[in-house]
Amino acid sequence: MTTIFIAGSITIKKLDTLVIERIKKIVDKKLNVIVGDANGVDSSVQKELLQMGCDTTIVYSSSSKPRNNLGSWPVNIVKTNHPYGTRAFYTAKDIQMAEDADCGLMIWDSKSTGTLSNVIELLSRNKSSVVFINKVKEFLIVKSVDDFHLLINYMSELDLEKADGKIKFQKKIDELKNQQITLI
């Protein structure tokens, strides 16, 4: 059965109706959903899944006790040696979700480096993402490096520089591009 990795920006507290409709389609098809335990999009998605009665949800957490598990769903605790509370500590669960998922649904504020990382993690595994760009209320399908470049066009120059400084996404994208060229 198909597994969808749903995640997004911690700054987004309320899901757009277009995102809720997309989640409803996922639930109606009884697809597996994996979601993190953070505030923001993670907890907002959990709230919608609970209201929709989704019983195919698994919450992923890097902590032994998830920060949020609104539906008391099964929890996949991802072991990590990174210090508690660091970016690497929380990223461990995201990497595992990218590994376990077939594709992703990302809800993005046009700044979040965590969401960009998730898209890159999925791309590096030849998996696609549907990214909802919150500020323009549009979905963008990211299946390739070229699609990723379309996505980052929604970022301001300053946010782009900050993101590259934090997660070195340009280096990762260049590596993916080189892999794609080698395959051709």
Side-chain angles (χ1 to χ4, degrees):
M1 178 175 305
T2 302
T3 299
I4 314 292
F5 170 13
I6 305 179
S9 306
I10 205 163
T11 60
I12 298 173
K13 309 288 187 218
K14 186 175 182 333
L15 300 177
D16 189 90
T17 55
L18 294 170
V19 172
I20 294 169
E21 289 169 12
R22 186 67 63 109
I23 293 170
K24 177 93 172 90
K25 289 178 184 174
I26 291 167
V27 172
D28 288 347
K29 291 180 181 177
K30 302 229 181 276
L31 302 177
N32 293 322
V33 175
I34 55 178
V35 63
D37 66 336
N39 292 318
V41 166
D42 287 358
S43 60
S44 297
V45 166
Q46 286 189 25
K47 179 181 172 196
E48 292 301 325
L49 292 169
L50 180 60
Q51 288 176 352
M52 293 175 192
C54 183
D55 59 0
T56 58
T57 303
I58 298 175
V59 174
Y60 280 57
S61 177
S62 297
S63 302
S64 57
K65 184 179 183 319
R67 296 169 286 181
N68 292 291
N69 184 358
L70 304 180
S72 298
W73 294 290
V75 178
N76 184 340
I77 297 171
V78 177
K79 301 283 186 217
T80 177
N81 293 325
H82 297 290
Y84 177 81
T86 62
R87 172 179 291 279
F89 178 83
Y90 293 114
T91 299
K93 74 169 168 36
D94 295 327
I95 291 170
Q96 188 62 56
M97 285 191 285
E99 187 65 37
D100 294 349
D102 295 301
C103 57
L105 171 59
M106 301 292 142
I107 299 95
W108 188 50
D109 65 0
S110 304
K111 296 177 183 185
S112 166
T113 55
T115 307
L116 281 181
S117 285
N118 292 340
V119 172
I120 292 168
E121 290 297 335
L122 287 161
L123 264 182
S124 71
R125 291 162 175 77
N126 295 312
K127 300 174 184 180
S128 62
S129 300
V130 175
V131 182
F132 182 76
I133 305 158
N134 206 51
K135 75 177 183 181
V136 295
K137 311 296 183 210
E138 292 177 8
F139 290 97
L140 177 69
I141 298 171
V142 180
K143 293 182 181 180
S144 69
V145 170
D146 290 340
D147 296 336
F148 184 83
H149 284 292
L150 292 174
L151 180 66
I152 62 173
N153 282 335
Y154 287 93
M155 298 179 81
S156 72
E157 199 63 41
L158 180 61
D159 290 331
L160 200 57
E161 287 176 29
K162 283 182 185 176
D164 198 38
K166 273 186 178 177
I167 63 170
K168 311 288 184 236
F169 74 82
Q170 195 56 56
K171 180 181 178 212
K172 293 174 185 176
I173 289 300
D174 288 343
E175 289 169 2
L176 281 175
K177 195 174 198 174
N178 289 335
Q179 285 176 354
Q180 289 176 351
I181 290 169
T182 304
L183 292 174
I184 298 172

